[in-house]
Amino acid sequence: MEEKFQNLPLRNGVGIVLLNKENKIFVGKRIDNPSNFWQMPQGGVDNGENFLDAAYRELKEETGIKKNVELIQEIEGTMTYELPDHLLGVVWKGKFKGQKQKWFLMRYEGNNSDINIKTENPEFLDWKWIDLNMITDVVVDFKLHIYKELKEKIKKIINL
């Protein structure tokens, strides 16, 4: 990491592990990454916003889901990642070097037809449900350590 980026702060963020009725995980393919990488809904926390409210807002902004979703559990602790060098100074207008995230496990009880990624400011090109074990096969490399940790924590919570 270049010296000019080392002192940048981490952005406060949230992430949502969204399960359907079959315990499959929601993932979306990012618009800004043409490669075959997928991620769970996640984003920044606004000033004055608490983490859970931010998680529900991000879920709505990225998936259109605003009802039929239930909080199962707040995942213990926080997880951080740093951006790779080629994204430093580019993502988040160069204000942050990565994110410190609080994650939430939620269950979606609605219908797939109610999921709408064509939101006001879309972030995903496509979406799908995948097995929890596949989550580490589809994620971008600089977030892999987070997804590995989440996979283990989720397995314990839902007894997979």
Side-chain angles (χ1 to χ4, degrees):
M1 179 183 300
E2 288 184 45
E3 192 173 327
K4 66 180 178 180
F5 297 122
Q6 287 179 349
N7 292 327
L8 287 175
L10 293 170
R11 177 183 185 222
N12 282 331
V14 292
I16 301 99
V17 180
L18 187 66
L19 298 172
N20 68 7
K21 297 167 194 163
E22 292 83 38
N23 284 335
K24 303 266 189 196
I25 306 288
F26 177 98
V27 290
K29 187 174 186 180
R30 290 191 56 90
I31 284 176
D32 61 5
N33 190 339
S35 301
N36 195 28
F37 295 118
W38 300 72
Q39 73 176 38
M40 292 181 274
Q42 55 193 285
V45 177
D46 292 339
N47 286 335
E49 187 176 39
N50 70 46
F51 287 109
L52 184 57
D53 288 343
Y56 281 117
R57 177 185 49 75
E58 284 293 335
L59 187 63
K60 180 183 172 202
E61 287 178 4
E62 295 184 8
T63 68
I65 296 172
K66 52 188 174 236
K67 59 182 182 175
N68 298 319
V69 66
E70 175 186 347
L71 176 65
I72 297 173
Q73 186 173 327
E74 179 178 322
I75 306 298
E76 187 177 318
T78 58
M79 298 175 209
T80 62
Y81 70 85
E82 291 188 358
L83 295 169
D85 288 346
H86 71 279
L87 294 176
L88 284 166
V90 177
V91 176
W92 306 309
K93 300 176 183 167
K95 294 180 183 177
F96 304 99
K97 65 179 176 184
Q99 276 201 65
K100 178 181 177 182
Q101 298 176 314
K102 170 54 85 180
W103 283 82
F104 297 89
L105 177 61
M106 297 183 180
R107 165 109 36 221
Y108 180 59
E109 296 285 350
N111 298 313
N112 285 350
S113 59
D114 294 330
I115 297 174
N116 177 17
I117 60 171
K118 293 183 171 88
T119 59
E120 187 175 326
N121 296 300
E123 294 194 28
F124 296 136
L125 286 171
D126 197 5
W127 69 272
K128 61 185 176 180
W129 298 105
I130 64 171
D131 287 326
L132 177 61
N133 284 328
M134 291 179 55
I135 197 69
T136 51
D137 297 336
V138 300
V139 67
V140 67
D141 60 349
F142 64 91
K143 294 181 184 178
L144 181 59
H145 65 286
I146 289 178
Y147 280 51
K148 282 181 178 177
E149 186 176 339
L150 283 169
K151 181 166 73 170
E152 295 310 310
K153 288 182 176 187
I154 300 308
K155 281 181 178 181
K156 291 177 183 171
I157 294 169
I158 60 174
N159 298 314
L160 280 182

